[in-house]
Amino acid sequence: MRSVLFAQVRAHVARLLASTLAVVIAVGFVVATLVLNETARSTVLNAVGAQYVGAAAVVTSDDGSSLADDADAVAGLSSVAAVAPSFETSIQAAVPGRTGSQYLFVGTVADDPALRWQRVSDGALPDRPGEVAVSDRARAAVGDVLTVTTYDAAGDESTSEVTVTGIVDLSGDPEAGLYGRAFVTPEQAREWGAADPLELRVAAAPGFSDEQVRTDTAAALGDRPVEVRTGSERAADAAAAMMGNTTALAAVLLVFGTVAVLVAGLVIANTFAVLLAQRTRELALLRCVGATARQVRRSVLGEAVVTGLASSTIGVAAGIGLAAAVSALAGGGESPIPLTGLSIPWYAPVAGVLVGTLVTLLAALAPARAATRVAPLAALRPVDPAPLRSRPGVLRLVLGLLLLLPGVGLMALGVAMGQVLIALPGGVLSFLGIVLLAQRAVPPVVAAAGRLAGRFGGVPAQLAAGNATRNPRRTAATATALLIGVTLTSAFVVGAASTRATAQAGLAAEFPTDIVVSSFDGALPASLLATLEDLDGVDRGAAVISADVTGPDGQPTWTFGVDAAATEPVLRSTEELALPVPGQALLPEWLAETWAVRDGDPVALGAPGQQRTFTALVVDSGQPLMLTADDLRAVAPETGLGELWLRLTDGEPDGQVGAVDRITDVVAEIDPAAQVTGLVTLRDQIDEVLDLLLLVVTGLLGIAVLIALIGVGNTLALSVVERRQENGLLRALGLTRGQLRGLLAWEAVLVAGVAAVLGVLVGGAYGLIGAASVLGEIGEIVLSVPWLQVAVIVAVATVAGLLASVLPARRAARTSPVSAIAG
Amino acid sequence: MSVPVMTVPGEPPAPLSTAAVRATGLRKTYGSGETAVHALAGVDVAFAAGEFTAIMGPSGSGKSTLMHCLAGLDTATAGEVWLGGTDLTRLRDDELTKLRRQRIGFVFQSFNLLPVLDARDNIVLPMQLAGLRPDTAWMDSVVARLGLRERLGHRPHELSGGQQQRVAIARALLPRPDVVFADEPTGNLDSRSGAEVLGLLRSSVKETGQTVVMVTHDPVAAAYADRVVLLADGLLAGELSDPTAESVLDALRGLGA
């Protein structure tokens, strides 16, 4: 039988293409997922953990107490070659040619070369005080002299100058783009106010292992409140902290992988059914010339294994290639997802080949069993007419309901409690139930849709409606493959929309102003507001006046005065930031405590003789005491312009960042002492990450949909084979080729359309439930359904189903009318 | 491509004006060169309107091919096929398909009906495809004559073989086609159902003047026809008027079948 097997595979390479493609795509997906996951992990490990990877051991302070005195104790150990205390501080630095000064986070360059982890892309690391190496983000060049402003513990300002000796390459570090970094010698760091190192990095003496160094160090520090880890442990911990919950990420990726494999399995099973149906006579002939049922089954399964192995291998290569392409693309641009190079874990190709081959084999089991039932006589008689009905099992119904009902219950509980960990298993259970029940649910829906279509599509649509429900099991399997993909895609799209809406509402409440321009002395130029409002990208602004107001304790208190009418349109939300009404004083909690004033109490403000009484409203905010602008003018003789609140035009994140830059430049020019802060960039970053995630996930799930559509094409191909006689009869009775193609197209549209609509409904529900249960833990939920995207999903799936019908329809249209008679 | 046309003994072909279907110099060749097989090697034949004709011949004589070409199901290699005033060999596939809907009826040996449609939908299918409404009175009369009134709501698998063939005949008769082609219509039936089907075909010729052309290899079936055309090796091999089972059997023996 082996010769027959290989001859079969060789002869049917073209026929096997569909299942090969499904396996290649699914395996490629799994492998690419694993490789990208590993690449991201190692990228973060190398970037975030870079400073630790080279160290033998790392000592971290547990309670924030200084390790300055412990460095010597560790350095004295025989297994230790060098110790580098990490001094950290921050500075304001002015770069020549750039207006304003920027915040730089300062780290240290170790004295010992073994503990120097920074890579320079240009120049060299600093060797002495007065020298500095900066990251790309600082936008300085080698040779630039930076003017540095630092504040000591007493708040006194001091200025110094340092020369840039090198540019440090931080690529791969997700935080590299947030703020500039500066690296100096420990002496320089101490000069700038860094006093207490919270971490010691330890290098091993020649011949000592990391573990030995760790043990010795831990022993030497004995009862000190420190944690001692090896360098690689510390690096892994840092990376884990950065990647967030890595198990959650792995779980999500696993879910996508499972989806792709499941969908591929359904498609492969269908493909094999098609292949074997086309070969019924060949198989029967084999039986006639003496092959046993066992031999036939083994031949079919052998074919599956060969196909599975070959296409899994291609899939592994494709997956690695895909991951490399994604990594190259992500590494090239400014992507929030850290990917550099390519790390292929050993288990990725192994898992790919195993999964691909096993799924193919499993998927071929049912068709193989069917093949053994081919009677030898089938070779001799004309092809039987296509079966009219097959019975869906009762077992499946019961099992489906047993999964669905508790699943729905768990999800309801999860939403009610705001616990995603309860809703998630509910989602998995109910989805499995839906997949099982789809076999019962899909055919009636297809039939109903078919009756509707028959009204518009004429005879071909009516016939298609009948054909689409002839083999409910097959129709359901085809639709289910598509349903899974569409369900998950829409679940994610809807879930992401709700997450975004909730995050934005939360951010708007937390940070109601886009941009705040403030001065410490309450003396911004009066003309500044008009100048800024004229800038491109600035929507509107409001002035906040300020003055020292005498409080009930007789002490002057820094007070804001806002004009509610002018301010409200500037704010994104007034949920967390209340505005005062006339006669009301908004007291921050600390002030209320100082003055011993409670909510609703009267509070007298103003210099003696000018005093007026206000009603206190205690608010949980970091703002100073706040009155209306008119009230403030009444109790304070001299007011100044304390802050400007600006709202930016809604639009592209890049445009908003540009606006922030323009505002900073203008403010720096008019009033160098003024400060510009704003959360608009944070909001943009959240948006950007969500957008990218959405794009990636939609792309990945799109693959599942693609595989499912190959399945639609296969099912139609099988129908065409089975209904050759019937199609011939239709042609004889006067169905034109165009109408026959229309018949197949309608059938595809019915199945794909129903799967898409059902998938979007179910997926939308899952998305909303998921968002509600995940965000329920966090707080207020804003549910949002992106109707346009949902409509696009339905349209794309349906049109793609139409496209999937093109090849089988061409084949059907070639059916000669004579074949109805010839049998 | 000139091939000597064998003259057929017996009656001259029916006059052109009354012929519902006729073919001249009809050839059908499969393959080419040395391996070429001539299924039809040049056939001139005519079928008069309102006549029931049987085409007979041994296996491989080309009788099925002749019917396929006459009915526009298959394309001829050479020659002409005229249905009334239309030359089928000049029509494109779509034109041919539309012509089949309205002007030709079919009854096949097996697999005559679409399994997804009930009897009524199967009967009106060709007219629906043509976008025509069946004449209700005519439909009632056809259904009544074929004894199908009680069966119209049944799907094909709920009908016996004889009932299925009667549905197929009703479908063929409904558009009042120029000609009904029947390909071994009794081949899959027991003798009683077979006789019933043949009787119905014959009565449709007698009572409504329907033209029927039937391919068969059963002399008893052929005896229901007004005329039998004999075919051998892709050529006409004679014909019989008012045939009986015995005369048909004799004629076939003369062909060496």
Side-chain angles (χ1 to χ4, degrees):
Chain A
M1 286 302 283
R2 187 168 302 161
S3 58
V4 177
L5 163 64
F6 283 107
Q8 289 282 17
V9 174
R10 269 199 305 279
H12 302 303
V13 164
R15 289 185 193 169
L16 286 171
L17 206 65
S19 54
T20 306
L21 205 58
V23 180
V24 166
I25 293 174
V27 168
F29 177 87
V30 170
V31 170
T33 303
L34 291 175
V35 170
L36 281 178
N37 189 23
E38 177 66 19
T39 303
R41 210 184 60 79
S42 79
T43 304
V44 170
L45 189 71
N46 286 333
V48 179
Q51 49 183 318
Y52 304 119
V53 171
V58 179
V59 181
T60 314
S61 168
D62 267 347
D63 57 357
S65 62
S66 173
L67 299 179
D69 301 333
D70 301 308
D72 292 337
V74 175
L77 294 170
S78 60
S79 58
V80 170
V83 176
S86 303
F87 291 99
E88 289 177 348
T89 183
S90 61
I91 53 171
Q92 290 285 331
V95 176
R98 282 169 55 84
T99 44
S101 60
Q102 57 177 319
Y103 173 89
L104 293 181
F105 185 80
V106 179
T108 40
V109 174
D111 293 330
D112 188 88
L115 292 170
R116 289 187 169 190
W117 57 272
Q118 296 91 344
R119 279 170 297 151
V120 289
S121 57
D122 192 14
L125 290 175
D127 286 324
R128 58 188 70 84
E131 290 181 347
V132 67
V134 293
S135 67
D136 275 343
R137 182 72 174 76
R139 286 179 213 153
V142 173
D144 281 353
V145 175
L146 309 185
T147 309
V148 173
T149 309
T150 51
Y151 299 87
D152 61 21
D156 291 331
E157 185 180 304
S158 59
T159 308
S160 55
E161 289 195 340
V162 286
T163 308
V164 176
T165 58
I167 307 298
V168 174
D169 177 13
L170 291 178
S171 59
D173 186 339
E175 284 186 340
L178 288 183
Y179 42 79
R181 306 266 287 269
F183 299 98
V184 293
T185 58
E187 300 93 281
Q188 178 69 67
R190 279 202 295 269
E191 250 171 62
W192 280 344
D196 304 321
L198 298 179
E199 206 157 62
L200 304 176
R201 293 183 300 119
V202 183
F208 289 94
S209 71
D210 288 1
E211 190 52 42
Q212 183 66 48
V213 175
R214 193 194 71 79
T215 317
D216 290 354
T217 308
L221 294 178
D223 51 354
R224 294 277 294 139
V226 294
E227 186 174 0
V228 183
R229 284 168 280 191
T230 64
S232 38
E233 279 168 6
R234 180 70 184 89
D237 289 350
M242 174 58 58
M243 296 278 275
N245 197 337
T246 45
T247 51
L249 183 70
V252 167
L253 291 172
L254 197 70
V255 167
F256 291 141
T258 315
V259 169
V261 169
L262 202 71
V263 170
L266 282 169
V267 171
I268 295 164
N270 264 357
T271 311
F272 268 90
V274 176
L275 293 181
L276 294 176
Q278 286 171 331
R279 290 214 308 256
T280 307
R281 287 216 202 191
E282 282 175 35
L283 292 173
L285 190 62
L286 278 176
R287 295 297 311 279
C288 274
V289 298
T292 65
R294 233 178 102 96
Q295 281 173 314
V296 169
R297 188 176 62 234
R298 281 206 339 239
S299 145
V300 171
L301 291 182
E303 197 175 320
V305 170
V306 172
T307 311
L309 266 179
S311 34
S312 302
T313 313
I314 302 174
V316 166
I320 292 173
L322 180 70
V326 169
S327 174
L329 277 178
E334 281 191 19
S335 144
I337 291 182
L339 290 173
T340 324
L342 200 62
S343 311
I344 304 170
W346 64 268
Y347 53 82
V350 175
V353 170
L354 264 181
V355 164
T357 310
L358 272 179
V359 164
T360 314
L361 188 61
L362 283 176
L365 277 181
R369 222 179 45 201
T372 58
R373 283 201 294 265
V374 172
L377 263 182
L380 311 175
R381 63 165 185 248
V383 183
D384 292 327
L388 203 58
R389 289 250 169 244
S390 59
R391 290 193 174 280
V394 178
L395 182 73
R396 184 183 272 264
L397 176 70
V398 173
L399 203 63
L401 286 175
L402 278 180
L403 287 169
L404 179 67
L405 297 178
V408 170
L410 273 179
M411 282 197 293
L413 193 67
V415 171
M417 298 176 59
Q419 284 290 330
V420 69
L421 285 179
I422 295 176
L424 187 67
V428 173
L429 279 184
S430 59
F431 189 64
L432 286 176
I434 287 176
V435 168
L436 284 176
L437 292 177
Q439 186 168 328
R440 289 225 170 211
V442 167
V445 180
V446 170
R451 277 194 292 280
L452 198 68
R455 295 227 185 110
F456 310 107
V459 184
Q462 284 163 20
L463 289 172
N467 283 339
T469 47
R470 269 165 88 169
N471 194 329
R473 186 171 298 193
R474 192 187 303 153
T475 303
T478 313
T480 305
L482 193 55
L483 183 85
I484 294 174
V486 172
T487 300
L488 291 168
T489 310
S490 24
F492 200 84
V493 167
V494 170
S498 297
T499 307
R500 180 195 309 259
T502 305
Q504 279 176 347
L507 272 182
E510 195 106 348
F511 309 107
T513 29
D514 285 349
I515 300 280
V516 175
V517 181
S518 53
S519 75
F520 294 113
D521 49 7
L524 287 170
S527 63
L528 188 58
L529 179 60
T531 314
L532 292 179
E533 276 184 317
D534 280 347
L535 284 180
D536 199 15
V538 178
D539 181 24
R540 60 175 74 218
V544 179
I545 57 170
S546 61
D548 276 329
V549 172
T550 314
D553 54 358
Q555 297 294 316
T557 304
W558 186 242
T559 308
F560 275 176
V562 294
D563 177 355
T567 309
E568 210 164 308
V570 172
L571 302 179
R572 296 266 172 196
S573 156
T574 51
E575 204 173 299
E576 304 268 326
L577 177 71
L579 293 175
V581 295
Q584 193 181 43
L586 263 49
L587 270 70
E589 273 168 357
W590 64 268
L591 194 60
E593 243 168 73
T594 317
W595 290 348
V597 172
R598 274 190 311 243
D599 227 13
D601 285 354
V603 53
L605 298 175
Q610 279 181 320
Q611 252 179 359
R612 286 178 56 170
T613 307
F614 296 88
T615 312
L617 176 67
V618 179
V619 291
D620 171 22
S621 94
Q623 298 280 9
L625 176 65
M626 215 187 286
L627 306 173
T628 66
D630 292 339
D631 285 345
L632 181 62
R633 288 197 194 96
V635 295
E638 273 182 42
T639 60
L641 188 51
E643 283 191 348
L644 291 177
W645 294 354
L646 302 176
R647 184 189 179 113
L648 300 182
T649 321
D650 293 328
E652 284 293 298
D654 287 350
Q656 295 199 334
V657 170
V660 175
D661 284 349
R662 280 190 293 278
I663 293 168
T664 314
D665 286 352
V666 167
V667 170
E669 206 166 300
I670 296 181
D671 183 359
Q675 196 180 354
V676 178
T677 51
L679 265 301
V680 66
T681 30
L682 179 61
R683 191 151 56 221
D684 291 340
Q685 271 165 357
I686 289 182
D687 257 9
E688 212 171 295
V689 169
L690 267 179
D691 276 341
L692 193 86
L693 257 178
L694 196 61
L695 196 71
V696 169
V697 171
T698 312
L700 295 180
L701 287 174
I703 289 173
V705 174
L706 186 75
I707 303 176
L709 287 170
I710 297 175
V712 173
N714 277 345
T715 307
L716 287 176
L718 181 55
S719 306
V720 169
V721 172
E722 285 182 344
R723 298 193 211 131
R724 196 173 62 91
Q725 258 190 316
E726 210 175 305
N727 291 336
L729 177 68
L730 279 167
R731 293 275 293 121
L733 293 181
L735 194 78
T736 61
R737 284 195 177 137
Q739 284 176 313
L740 186 55
R741 278 195 291 266
L743 176 80
L744 269 291
W746 271 111
E747 206 173 325
V749 165
L750 278 175
V751 173
V754 164
V757 170
L758 286 181
V760 161
L761 289 179
V762 175
Y766 276 124
L768 292 178
I769 290 169
S773 59
V774 170
L775 302 173
E777 293 176 18
I778 300 164
E780 202 92 350
I781 308 156
V782 183
L783 293 183
S784 152
V785 178
W787 294 111
L788 182 70
Q789 279 161 303
V790 167
V792 167
I793 293 175
V794 173
V796 165
T798 311
V799 169
L802 197 62
L803 288 179
S805 81
V806 167
L807 285 181
R810 271 170 58 106
R811 188 183 161 141
R814 280 203 299 270
T815 308
S816 138
V818 177
S819 61
I821 312 146
Chain B
M1 192 189 261
S2 158
V3 175
V5 175
M6 182 181 163
T7 43
V8 182
E11 279 183 294
L16 295 187
S17 56
T18 64
V21 194
R22 63 193 169 86
T24 54
L26 195 61
R27 302 172 64 85
K28 178 71 182 180
T29 310
Y30 295 103
S32 60
E34 288 191 8
T35 58
V37 175
H38 301 283
L40 294 175
V43 173
D44 295 278
V45 68
F47 301 91
E51 203 180 44
F52 186 179
T53 313
I55 301 175
M56 291 208 71
S59 289
S61 62
K63 57 184 190 298
S64 284
T65 310
L66 175 62
M67 196 206 90
H68 295 160
C69 289
L70 292 174
L73 292 173
D74 207 348
T75 51
T77 312
E80 291 173 355
V81 176
W82 290 85
L83 180 73
T86 316
D87 182 358
L88 301 191
T89 54
R90 291 179 191 281
L91 296 183
R92 285 179 291 116
D93 183 75
D94 267 17
E95 293 166 329
L96 211 51
T97 307
K98 285 175 182 149
L99 175 131
R100 284 200 300 266
R101 285 175 187 168
Q102 297 172 49
R103 296 180 58 189
I104 299 177
F106 290 101
V107 181
F108 299 122
Q109 176 176 359
S110 62
F111 203 78
N112 254 308
L113 307 177
L114 285 179
V116 288
L117 301 180
D118 64 16
R120 180 200 307 279
D121 287 346
N122 263 296
I123 292 172
V124 299
L125 181 66
M127 300 203 68
Q128 271 196 332
L129 286 172
L132 297 174
R133 239 168 226 294
D135 169 350
T136 328
W138 172 242
M139 169 130 179
D140 283 349
S141 112
V142 168
V143 167
R145 251 190 300 142
L146 294 169
L148 289 170
R149 190 160 291 158
E150 312 301 317
R151 304 280 170 214
L152 286 179
H154 288 64
R155 294 277 190 97
H157 65 274
E158 296 162 332
L159 299 172
S160 73
Q163 286 167 340
Q164 290 188 20
Q165 283 314 69
R166 295 206 317 253
V167 172
I169 293 171
R171 179 187 64 204
L173 294 178
L174 192 64
R176 288 195 255 230
D178 291 16
V179 57
V180 169
F181 287 102
D183 185 7
E184 305 270 12
T186 57
N188 273 3
L189 300 181
D190 60 74
S191 58
R192 202 174 64 83
S193 304
E196 201 176 81
V197 163
L198 288 165
L200 286 166
L201 282 175
R202 186 177 174 76
S203 69
S204 73
V205 173
K206 287 282 171 277
E207 288 164 22
T208 66
Q210 178 66 57
T211 312
V212 175
V213 177
M214 173 175 74
V215 168
T216 185
H217 64 270
D218 176 7
V220 178
Y224 281 80
D226 297 321
R227 189 165 73 111
V228 171
V229 174
L230 295 164
L231 218 58
D233 298 327
L235 290 167
L236 276 192
E239 61 173 75
L240 296 166
S241 287
D242 301 320
T244 60
E246 290 73 30
S247 66
V248 172
L249 211 51
D250 285 343
L252 284 174
R253 283 205 192 94
L255 296 176

